Amino acid sequence: MLKGRIKRLSGLNMADQRKRKKETKKVVSINKHRVNPGVIVFGVVFLYLVVYVISYLTRGTTNYYEVVKGSNAEQANITYTGIAIRDEEVISAESAGYVNYYVQEGDRVSVNSTLYSIDENGYVSALLSSGELEGEALTSDDYSSIRKALSSFSVSYDRTNYSAVYDFKYDLDSILLDAVSANLLASIYDTLEASGQSNSFQIVKAPETGIVVHSTDGYESLTTDDICADLFDMEGYTVNRTSSNDLVSSGEEIGKIIQDERWKLVIPLSQEEAEKLSSYSTLTVQFVSDGIQAKCDFEILEQSDGIYGILTFYRFMVRYASERYLEIQIEESIVEGLKIPKTSVVDLDLYLIPVDYYVQGGDGEDYGFYLEVYDEEGNASISFITPTVYYKTDEYCYVAKDLITDGDVIVLSDSNTRYQVGATGIVQGVYQINSGYTIFKRIEILDETSDYYIVAEGISGGIVVYDHIVLDGSTVDESQIVYQ
């Protein structure tokens, strides 16, 4: 019996143990599936960070430009090298011998007046060198010309261009010989007659009236039709100068006569320069060599190899008659303002509404327009709206298209006068992004350089120094959020 009790107790214990194990398993099973709130919060935060980092790395940034002050001074001071075109007739020696001019370079000669002489055997040259001829070698006018030449050279002398000294010495020698030959011509004739040498001496008359130049360069017959880029490569350019007492051959070119006071200067232009100057018919230029300013007619010449500007002058031909290439600057007023990239500028198409319709109304002090609206049943009423007005002239308001559509009717306050929206106009501006989103700002362009516009400073609602504006205005829209 005792054994039976013990056995039953033992069985009960075993059953209790099995029951407890089951309950324990259930508890353990329940604990395995319970979610920890801390884990949920951490997971959400982690997921947010991952999404934010990915979006930050993949989002596009907007390049911007910081507005600064600027001017067109660099563009206005461009130096151009032009080639001169004149009405020139070449003078060729009629026979071989020693040439002597009787007209100084730059002086005007009249038709059939004594131009130069040819001394076939050098007898006249020897007479001039001997000093045995009677008469005044240099007159007061000659001395005045020499002083003028010396003064002009001293003013324009450049220490870095010492070779100009030799050119000036050459020119001065030519002035002296020409003057001496002309002044002693009568004495030369008498001496030749007395010595029986008159047949070896030939006087040549001027074939026409004009300015005499004692040099040639092969461009005397140049016209605007001949203009090409190669003409502005001066590396191989040479000038053949002839001075009194030089030995020349028959038919050799010894000078030229310029017949017309009108002359042209042709300069090469870039596409941008040509576009900028295309609206001008006259210009004021400054000659770099001496600072002389001159007005000229202007036109554009388009050739197969480039674009050129033709400047036509009616003065100063004599001053530059011996020069083929001249450096000039086109005189432009220096414009100052705000400097912005051309890529930043956009054209905004806006509605044009007469300014009379832009009134103060509604419940506040805002200005806007009275818009005629209709309900679902077609009943008309008036609503006061305040769309963005970007620009206002004496005649029109340039109005944004956000609250108005094409065909809407604007009503004049206290009147039956109505205006139907439809006409549009263009306003130029840039997108300012100081606040993290785009705001259109109107600009007034004053001038331009190759890559930038110079715009007016201080216009109402415009940009100011240090504003950030979108570098490429075509990539954004109004009120767009941007990342710099």
Side-chain angles (χ1 to χ4, degrees), residues 372-393:
E372 187 175 75
V373 295
Y374 294 86
D375 59 20
E376 295 178 354
E377 298 178 355
N379 298 317
S381 62
I382 303 298
S383 176
F384 185 76
I385 59 173
T386 57
T388 303
V389 176
Y390 288 103
Y391 181 46
K392 187 172 66 170
T393 67

Side-chain angles (χ1 to χ4, degrees), residues 95-114:
S95 59
Y98 293 90
V99 65
N100 283 282
Y101 268 107
Y102 296 96
V103 179
Q104 296 183 30
E105 183 166 83
D107 283 354
R108 180 175 294 276
V109 65
S110 58
V111 62
N112 291 327
S113 61
T114 301

Side-chain angles (χ1 to χ4, degrees), residues 2 15 19 25 97 161 168 241 265 302 344 357 395 397 441 451 459 469:
L2 183 58
K19 185 178 181 181
K25 287 181 179 179
N161 186 22
F168 176 68
R241 297 184 180 276
L265 194 66
E302 294 189 16
S344 296
Y357 290 82
E395 189 174 1
C397 293
K441 297 287 186 177
D451 299 314
I459 68 171
I469 61 175

Side-chain angles (χ1 to χ4, degrees), residues 408-465:
D408 281 349
V409 174
I410 305 297
V411 180
L412 188 62
S413 177
D414 300 327
S415 171
N416 292 324
T417 305
R418 300 145 64 91
Y419 176 81
Q420 187 171 29
V421 176
T424 61
I426 297 296
V427 170
Q428 288 186 307
V430 296
Y431 287 113
Q432 181 214 69
I433 54 174
N434 295 350
S435 302
Y437 58 92
T438 58
I439 301 175
F440 182 82
K441 297 287 186 177
R442 187 179 68 87
I443 60 170
E444 293 180 2
I445 297 175
L446 302 177
D447 208 330
E448 62 183 290
T449 63
S450 56
D451 299 314
Y452 293 90
Y453 285 122
I454 308 300
V455 303
E457 184 177 10
I459 68 171
S460 178
I463 57 175
V464 297
V465 177

Side-chain angles (χ1 to χ4, degrees), residues 239-388:
V239 178
N240 301 314
R241 297 184 180 276
T242 303
S243 293
S244 289
N245 210 30
D246 282 354
L247 180 62
V248 299
S249 57
S250 178
E252 181 179 339
E253 295 180 352
I254 59 174
K256 57 195 172 189
I257 295 177
I258 304 175
Q259 305 171 47
D260 197 343
E261 285 288 336
R262 183 180 61 176
W263 59 291
K264 300 179 185 292
L265 194 66
V266 182
I267 59 175
L269 298 173
S270 66
Q271 180 68 42
E272 291 180 345
E273 291 168 343
E275 290 176 358
K276 182 177 180 179
L277 296 172
S278 61
S279 61
Y280 291 89
S281 59
T282 60
L283 294 173
T284 299
V285 304
Q286 177 174 292
F287 293 94
V288 175
S289 61
D290 52 16
I292 294 294
Q293 289 186 338
K295 290 185 177 181
C296 61
D297 292 339
F298 177 76
E299 59 183 312
I300 298 291
L301 171 67
E302 294 189 16
Q303 298 285 69
S304 59
D305 65 345
I307 306 175
Y308 304 89
I310 303 178
L311 289 70
T312 303
F313 297 89
Y314 300 89
R315 298 180 57 198
F316 304 113
M317 184 276 291
V318 176
R319 190 179 189 91
Y320 307 109
S322 61
E323 299 181 52
R324 181 64 63 188
Y325 293 95
L326 291 163
E327 288 189 337
I328 63 164
Q329 287 183 347
I330 297 175
E331 292 293 296
E332 298 180 77
S333 58
I334 304 300
V335 176
E336 296 183 345
L338 301 177
K339 180 180 178 182
I340 61 172
K342 289 184 175 180
T343 55
S344 296
V345 178
V346 295
D347 294 336
L348 205 59
D349 189 34
L350 304 169
Y351 285 127
L352 293 177
I353 300 178
V355 292
D356 292 341
Y357 290 82
Y358 189 53
V359 295
Q360 188 177 18
D363 297 330
E365 298 180 354
D366 294 333
Y367 276 80
F369 303 93
Y370 284 106
L371 175 66
E372 187 175 75
V373 295
Y374 294 86
D375 59 20
E376 295 178 354
E377 298 178 355
N379 298 317
S381 62
I382 303 298
S383 176
F384 185 76
I385 59 173
T386 57
T388 303

